[in-house]
Amino acid sequence: NAGVTQTPKFQVLKTGQSMTLQCAQDMNHNSMYWYRQDPGMGLRLIYYSASEGTTDKGEVPNGYNVSRLNKREFSLRLESAAPSQTSVYFCAGSSGGSTDTQYFGPGTRLTVL
Amino acid sequence: AQSVTQLGSHVSVSEGALVLLRCNYSSSVPPYLFWYVQYPNQGLQLLLKYTTGATLVKGINGFEAEFKKSETSFHLTKPSAHMSDAAEYFCAVSEQGGADGLTFGKGTHLIIQP
C-alpha cells in the first residue's frame, strides 16, 4: 500500500497563476483533509471532506477550492496564487471519527513568487 | 473553540537525558489528544493518542504522555533521549463528536546534543 500520496512534491508559481495539488489514498479512508504548514504556525486546516461528495471549510479556506473526486482522491486548487500562499501543503486521511488517527502524505512545497 | 499551546518552540537536551515537551489545551468539551512527530522533509506520523480510559498513554519509540484534566495538559516524555529523536513534535486536539480535523499547536523542535 502506498498510503497517502501527493503530487507534485515541489512547485514554483508566479503570482496570479493557478494550479491543482493532487492527493490520493489507498487506505479506504472516509475523511480527507488539507492542511498548510508555515514556520512557527503549526498546521492549519484549509478544507476537509467528511465523506465522498461533501466538503467543508476549515480555519483558513480563503483563496482555495477543493474537490472530492471520489473516495480515493481529494484535490486542492489555487485559482490565483498569491505570495501569502507560499507554504508546505499536507493531505491527510482518516476513517472519519474524532478519535481516529490521521495519516499524512509527504507534502507539497509551494513557492509563489 | 479549541486551542493548543506548546511551551517552547525549541527544546535542547543531551543524549540520554529526559525529554519533556509541554502541551496545554483549551476545549469546551472533553477532548481527544494526539502527539505527532515530523522528521525533516517528511509528513507527520502519530506518536500516541488519548481518547478514553487510562490517562497514561504509551506510544512508539519509548514516548509516553499523561492526560491531566485538572491541569488541561498532555505533556510528552521519554526517559532517555536518542539522537534519532531529533524532530519537530506537534500536539493536537479534536473534540468529541467532531470529524472536522485536528487543531494543532505550533510545534516544538527537539534538539539532541551529543
Side-chain angles (χ1 to χ4, degrees), chain A residues 31 33 35 37 40-45 48 50 59 88 90 96-107 109, chain B residues 32 34 36 38 41-46 49 51 88 90 94-107:
Chain A
S31 297
Y33 310 85
Y35 294 90
Q37 182 181 25
M41 298 293 292
L43 279 78
R44 292 178 292 169
L45 183 66
Y48 66 98
E59 180 185 353
V88 182
F90 288 100
S98 50
T99 63
D100 292 329
T101 299
Q102 291 191 16
Y103 295 87
F104 285 79
R109 186 174 296 272
Chain B
Y32 299 130
F34 303 77
Y36 281 84
Q38 183 182 33
N41 299 313
Q42 294 187 26
L44 281 70
Q45 64 180 86
L46 183 74
K49 63 181 178 181
T51 55
E88 190 86 15
F90 293 95
S94 70
E95 288 191 352
Q96 290 188 21
D100 52 355
L102 296 168
T103 299
F104 283 88
K106 294 184 177 181

Side-chain angles (χ1 to χ4, degrees), chain A residues 5-9 11 13 18-24 34-35 46 64-67 69 73-78 85 87-91 107-110:
Chain A
T5 58
Q6 294 181 236
T7 55
K9 291 190 188 317
Q11 184 71 48
L13 293 177
S18 63
M19 80 160 295
T20 300
L21 282 65
Q22 305 286 355
C23 174
W34 277 105
Y35 294 90
I46 305 172
Y64 305 95
N65 285 300
V66 291
S67 295
L69 304 170
E73 298 172 289
F74 189 38
S75 62
L76 179 72
R77 182 160 179 84
L78 287 69
Q85 295 178 305
S87 188
V88 182
Y89 292 86
F90 288 100
C91 178
T108 294
R109 186 174 296 272
L110 175 66

Side-chain angles (χ1 to χ4, degrees), chain B residues 15-85:
Chain B
E15 190 174 19
L18 171 71
V19 174
L20 171 61
L21 304 182
R22 300 179 186 274
C23 172
N24 288 87
Y25 70 90
S26 171
S27 177
S28 57
V29 297
Y32 299 130
L33 296 156
F34 303 77
W35 276 100
Y36 281 84
V37 61
Q38 183 182 33
Y39 297 104
N41 299 313
Q42 294 187 26
L44 281 70
Q45 64 180 86
L46 183 74
L47 271 178
L48 50 80
K49 63 181 178 181
Y50 169 78
T51 55
T52 58
T55 56
L56 182 62
V57 181
K58 295 186 184 301
I60 62 171
N61 301 337
F63 285 93
E64 62 182 36
E66 186 170 12
F67 170 58
K68 293 187 176 180
K69 184 178 178 181
S70 61
E71 298 178 8
T72 61
S73 69
F74 191 56
H75 302 331
L76 182 71
T77 61
K78 181 174 180 178
S80 177
H82 191 272
M83 295 300 291
S84 61
D85 295 328

